[in-house]
Amino acid sequence: MKVILGGLIKSGTSRENHTGSWRNYRPVYKQKTCIDCNICITVCPDSCVVRISEKKFDFDPDYCKGCGMCAEECPVNDIEMILEEK
Amino acid sequence: MGARLVLDAAGPNIITTDATGCLEVFTTRWPQSAWGVPFIHSLFENSAAVAAGIESALKALGRTDEAKVIAQGGDGGTADIGLQCLSGMLERGHDVLYVCYDNEAYMNTGVQRSGLTPFDCDTRTSPSGKASWGNPLRKKDMPAIVAAHGAPYVATASIAYPKDVERKVKKALGIKGPKYIQIHVPCPPGWKSEPALTIKVAKLAVETGLYPVFEMEDGVVTKVRKIPKTRKPVTEYLKVQGRFKHLFKKPGGEKEIKKIQQIADENIERYGLAGEKEPVATTTQT
Amino acid sequence: MARTFTEGSKAVAEVIRVCRPNVVSAYPITPQTHIVEELSAMVANGRLKAESVNVESEFSAASVVLGASATGARTYTATTSQGMLLMTEVLFNISGMRLPVVLTCANRAVSAPINIWNDQQDSISVRDAGWIQLYAEDIQEAADLHLQAFRIAEHPDVLLPVMVCMDGFVLTHSYEPVDLVSQEEADEFLPPYRPEYYLTPKDPLTYGAMLGPEAYMESRYQLDKALRDSSRMIVEVAGEFKKKIGRYQGALIDTYKTEDAEVILVAMGSVLSTIKEAVDKLRDEGGQKVGVLKVRSFRPFPKEEVYSALEGASDVLVMDRAFSPGSGGVLTTEVKATFCGRKSTANIKGHIIGLGGRDMTVESILNVINDRAVVSGQDKVVDLNESLLGGQKL
């Protein structure tokens, strides 16, 4: 991209930057006790939790940095953080 | 996370400013921008003044229906270097929502003390040591300062209660005139706390009374977040953060912790935070 | 067009009014106050339909016009001296973001010691801020340059902020007969501001990004190029002004009786009128071949034009109303630089004049011309009062 007018940028261009490569841990959705409370979606700082269907969730591997807040806040312990083997 | 909650609540029809700090640095590293809404970062101390300019332009151009104006800043850009511009914006009554992300230090430059750094907190410019317990000063009472300017809506909030943050943002945007919301946002590297426990740490700040969550309308406190009947002592909050660990390690620390407990007790008294109910299970409450 | 006998500040305010700014914001500081007060009165009387934001400091004034300009508004501010220095951080920001703000600088000396009278240290001190700087000699020119300033600034090939400099008190508070452009003439000359890029939810953009070592240099190079290239537009707009309004005013430089001149004086601002008087006197009384080079555009600095005007002279006497302590006159240094590596053998001598409002008389100028052969390693401080110097203790 060329430099325009002091570095003007179009919105949303950071989608190209897949920060998911930064993580060490990643969440696993066990889908055993999920009550569809959606708290995991609310607390994810990077908006990386995706609701696929009723009581079925997953994470966005492109951007999830593995902070672990979803796992920590899940009221029914349905999410576990595991070391990502790359 | 604070910014995400604010933007989720505000929707796409906003124009937002931001002061220099972590937020603008990591979201606008050319050639990429993480902002889906119109965004301008000018300088460290003028977020409020630039927002005032945007609001004036929208008025002059007959475009006030197009967007609401939200000014963002960290503690430095709000309470210290940015205080003058904020004061001017408030005093002139611009229709701007100012959001302060209070992570209690100048984090972007490496964790130095700010006007909102709490008492006895260890930072790089107020370090604890043989001759010091850390920051010897109390948090600047920004909500009171803002209210004294006659702002119609002043609120504190915490990311521990995300729905509360969103509710307050939506409410503020429905009020005409200058509004202020100060959101407590833990910074895991700066506070030396576990990233996964961020919500829990934030919650402890509120539940101990150290970070009172309340709303003020036209200068009067109208709503507070009550804390559980069985008070959590401040030690529970302090011990999960490295920035306070000197209070547990140095001899004489108990006296300092007592002082901090006193601050919490004063807050509880002042804002009427004492609740009647016991806490429910430790989930993220609304 | 109306001819009226009016105060400089008022003339400027009237021109700003017909330029139809959307947002004006300024903080009062002597000697710019009358401009700000006039504009406020115009808004109060409904003569000017703009948002007038009474800010709490010059820093905020500049920040407010920055935000407003980024939102697509035509903006204006004015300041001087301490105010200019206070808003310096924002000045760099405005030019870096390529926002076409117009600012009036009512040139005044800088503190310490505090002095409210005229010299050009304030605007000269911010010459690196990336703004176009135009210096006016009289009130008519000051007024006309503001209309041109908006046209130059907002042109898609320029998109740079413009500072119109007029000597404080000398031009802001004195009275002259001035031809003020009418609203119709202004509308014909200055189209509405329709930027391609601005803040709006309809097409969200990010302003003020962080550019690392991989791109910052290119961004600054672009700013420099834009500033240098703007000289073309400055000249073009002056031509348009002559065509549409009917008088010549503007462009990069003017020469006065330099065609056969052996001695040429160089200056900016109101002192030029006095210099021209001295030159006329010498020509009329003694036939001395003296001339004047008026530099109007200090930034971009018109190197070629300056050199062409001066190369044939034997003596070039530069009159500086601002200097860089520890180095010398600023205009002097810029003029000398244009001669570097060139054929001309003109002697260039620098003079520091009229600081802090000290008057420059015809007599002083004649002395300067007479003493031109006296050279030392430093720029000559004209009319230095030796009796005030040499003290050791209170």
Side-chain angles (χ1 to χ4, degrees), chain A residues 31-81:
Chain A
Q31 257 123 59
K32 293 209 174 91
T33 47
C34 177
I35 53 170
D36 217 345
C37 68
N38 283 260
I39 282 175
C40 52
I41 291 186
T42 305
V43 301
C44 173
D46 280 323
S47 309
C48 281
V49 181
V50 181
R51 184 175 186 274
I52 301 167
S53 63
E54 196 183 330
K55 296 187 191 172
K56 203 161 151 37
F57 292 80
D58 203 354
F59 76 108
D60 187 339
D62 286 340
Y63 306 107
C64 168
K65 298 200 194 67
C67 74
M69 276 166 71
C70 55
E72 183 63 40
E73 296 301 316
C74 173
V76 291
N77 285 320
D78 203 40
I79 309 173
E80 192 186 326
M81 299 300 292

Side-chain angles (χ1 to χ4, degrees), chain B residues 201-275:
Chain B
V201 171
K203 209 176 280 183
L204 283 168
V206 179
E207 287 174 338
T208 53
L210 275 177
Y211 206 87
V213 171
F214 58 89
E215 287 172 87
M216 282 172 94
E217 285 168 87
D218 294 316
V220 178
V221 178
T222 50
K223 206 162 178 209
V224 304
R225 173 157 219 114
K226 299 272 190 194
I227 63 177
K229 192 163 179 204
T230 311
R231 301 246 191 102
K232 291 210 170 112
V234 294
T235 39
E236 281 204 36
Y237 171 63
L238 301 172
K239 73 185 182 205
V240 288
Q241 302 163 69
R243 61 183 181 150
F244 290 113
K245 76 166 187 282
H246 56 283
L247 300 176
F248 298 93
K249 286 212 162 130
K250 262 176 78 172
E254 316 79 40
K255 249 177 66 190
E256 295 304 309
I257 295 176
K258 269 214 181 76
K259 291 184 192 166
I260 298 176
Q261 184 64 59
Q262 202 180 344
I263 296 174
D265 294 339
E266 277 169 24
N267 286 340
I268 295 169
E269 175 77 38
R270 179 176 170 197
Y271 293 101
L273 304 175

Side-chain angles (χ1 to χ4, degrees), chain C residues 74-341:
Chain C
R74 177 173 284 160
T75 55
Y76 170 77
T77 185
T79 192
T80 177
S81 180
Q82 310 310 117
M84 181 72 80
L85 298 180
L86 182 60
M87 61 158 77
T88 299
E89 202 189 350
V90 194
L91 296 179
F92 279 81
N93 221 242
I94 290 174
S95 68
M97 290 199 212
R98 303 291 296 277
L99 298 170
V101 176
V102 171
L103 179 151
T104 305
C105 176
N107 290 107
R108 167 185 142 179
V110 300
S111 172
I114 188 167
N115 173 297
I116 59 167
W117 293 274
N118 162 244
D119 69 36
Q120 290 166 355
Q121 194 69 50
D122 50 4
S123 53
I124 293 292
S125 295
V126 296
R127 62 195 181 278
D128 295 341
W131 284 54
I132 292 173
Q133 285 195 1
L134 304 172
Y135 286 75
E137 181 184 339
D138 53 45
I139 295 176
Q140 180 70 66
E141 184 173 9
D144 291 340
L145 283 179
H146 282 91
L147 178 57
Q148 293 187 32
F150 282 105
R151 182 103 178 81
I152 297 165
E154 292 169 7
H155 196 282
D157 294 342
V158 178
L159 288 179
L160 286 169
V162 179
M163 191 180 292
V164 179
C165 301
M166 58 193 293
D167 288 322
F169 283 122
V170 178
L171 296 183
T172 54
H173 285 62
S174 59
Y175 282 67
E176 264 180 37
V178 186
D179 284 318
L180 292 174
V181 290
S182 66
Q183 184 67 72
E184 293 71 38
E185 282 172 315
D187 289 340
E188 160 71 19
F189 184 81
L190 183 63
Y193 176 47
R194 300 233 191 280
E196 185 181 350
Y197 298 111
Y198 60 99
L199 290 168
T200 171
K202 297 186 191 151
D203 185 11
L205 296 168
T206 289
Y207 279 79
M210 169 181 266
L211 269 67
E214 77 289 337
Y216 178 78
M217 213 152 162
E218 282 65 29
S219 181
R220 297 298 286 170
Y221 165 76
Q222 275 182 342
L223 175 65
D224 177 52
K225 185 163 192 303
L227 198 48
R228 282 181 288 111
D229 290 349
S230 71
S231 48
R232 189 177 55 81
M233 195 52 56
I234 293 171
V235 173
E236 222 175 274
V237 168
E240 250 179 69
F241 190 84
K242 173 145 170 59
K243 234 171 71 180
K244 290 190 173 163
I245 308 296
R247 56 176 173 272
Y248 170 73
Q249 203 75 271
L252 304 167
I253 59 161
D254 278 329
T255 54
Y256 182 76
K257 301 187 177 172
T258 56
E259 299 75 22
D260 63 342
E262 290 160 359
V263 181
I264 303 182
L265 290 92
V266 187
M268 302 196 295
S270 60
V271 74
L272 283 159
S273 303
T274 318
I275 296 177
K276 286 175 187 172
E277 232 186 278
V279 161
D280 286 343
K281 198 171 153 78
L282 284 175
R283 282 203 177 248
D284 294 342
E285 290 173 11
Q288 209 171 334
K289 295 197 173 68
V290 212
V292 189
L293 169 60
K294 166 177 172 169
V295 175
R296 180 181 292 102
S297 167
F298 182 70
R299 281 289 180 271
F301 193 75
K303 296 183 191 160
E304 286 311 313
E305 290 79 1
V306 165
Y307 182 73
S308 298
L310 298 176
E311 65 176 321
S314 0
D315 287 283
V316 172
L317 307 174
V318 187
M319 314 290 262
D320 247 305
R321 271 201 115 140
F323 72 113
S324 187
S327 177
V330 174
L331 183 59
T332 303
T333 308
E334 302 257 353
V335 168
K336 283 184 178 171
T338 65
F339 277 70
C340 212

